[in-house]
Amino acid sequence: MKKIIFLFAFNIICYSAFSQTASIQTQTGVLPGANTSVNVSLSGFAPDDISGFQFTIRYDTTHLKYISTTDWYTGVSGVTVMSSVYYGSIHTLTYAWAESFGLVIDGILCKLNFLNKTSATGCQSIYWSDSPTTRMFIDGDYNEYTVTYVNGAIC
C-alpha cells in the first residue's frame, strides 16, 4: 500500500512540475479612459525550448480598444499579428511565430496595450480562443506542448 501511495504522489509531483502555462494578466485599478498593458506570460517551459507558437486572443471592443503588442521576449521577432472582427463587438488578435531554433522562454512573452473605453468601473475579459487560429506552442523538435491557458482581464 505504501508503494501505491508513493507512486501516486510521485506521479502528481512529476505532472505538476512539468506542466506548461500560458497566462494573460488581470490588471486591476485601471481607470476609465486610461491606457494600460497586460502581460502574456509563459511558465513551466524551461528547461525545454519553444521554436514556434500560434494563438488567438479575444476581447470586446465596446469596452477596450487595442493599441499594440510590444516588449516581445528577447529573440522573438517577426511575429505575424492579425487583428480582425470576430463577431459583432468581439475582436480577435491572432499571433504566429516560428524559428528554426528554440528559445527558452519563462516569463513575459509580450505586452498587450489597450485603452480602457468604459465610463464606469468593472472588469473586461481578455481571453484565449481557438478561432480563427488554434492555440499551439511547439518545441525545437516541433512537438506540441500540452498547455494550460489562464484568461485575464482589465479591471
Side-chain angles (χ1 to χ4, degrees):
M1 184 66 174
K2 287 181 183 180
K3 287 182 183 180
I4 292 173
I5 292 171
F6 172 76
L7 288 174
F8 178 74
F10 181 74
N11 285 332
I12 296 292
I13 290 168
C14 286
Y15 177 74
S16 62
F18 297 109
S19 62
Q20 293 81 26
T21 303
S23 302
I24 301 170
Q25 176 186 14
T26 294
Q27 185 71 277
T28 59
V30 179
L31 298 174
N35 289 345
T36 191
S37 298
V38 293
N39 297 331
V40 175
S41 298
L42 304 179
S43 63
F45 289 88
D48 296 323
D49 60 12
I50 297 173
S51 65
F53 57 76
Q54 64 179 35
F55 55 85
T56 298
I57 293 176
R58 290 188 187 171
Y59 64 95
D60 189 339
T61 59
T62 304
H63 306 290
L64 299 173
K65 178 182 178 187
Y66 172 71
I67 298 170
S68 64
T69 304
T70 58
D71 301 330
W72 286 98
Y73 192 88
T74 302
V76 176
S77 63
V79 178
T80 300
V81 181
M82 188 171 115
S83 176
S84 61
V85 175
Y86 178 71
Y87 180 77
S89 65
I90 304 302
H91 204 81
T92 63
L93 300 170
T94 301
Y95 299 87
W97 172 81
E99 283 291 350
S100 58
F101 56 87
L103 295 172
V104 177
I105 301 175
D106 193 40
I108 298 171
L109 175 63
C110 63
K111 293 179 184 272
L112 306 178
N113 305 300
F114 292 94
L115 167 66
N116 184 8
K117 293 172 31 178
T118 60
S119 58
T121 57
C123 290
Q124 311 308 322
S125 297
I126 304 170
Y127 54 98
W128 300 96
S129 176
D130 284 321
S131 181
T133 303
T134 305
R135 296 172 273 185
M136 180 186 313
F137 288 86
I138 58 172
D139 67 14
D141 295 322
Y142 307 107
N143 298 306
E144 187 175 345
Y145 286 105
T146 300
V147 179
T148 300
Y149 294 91
V150 179
N151 296 325
I154 293 176
C155 302

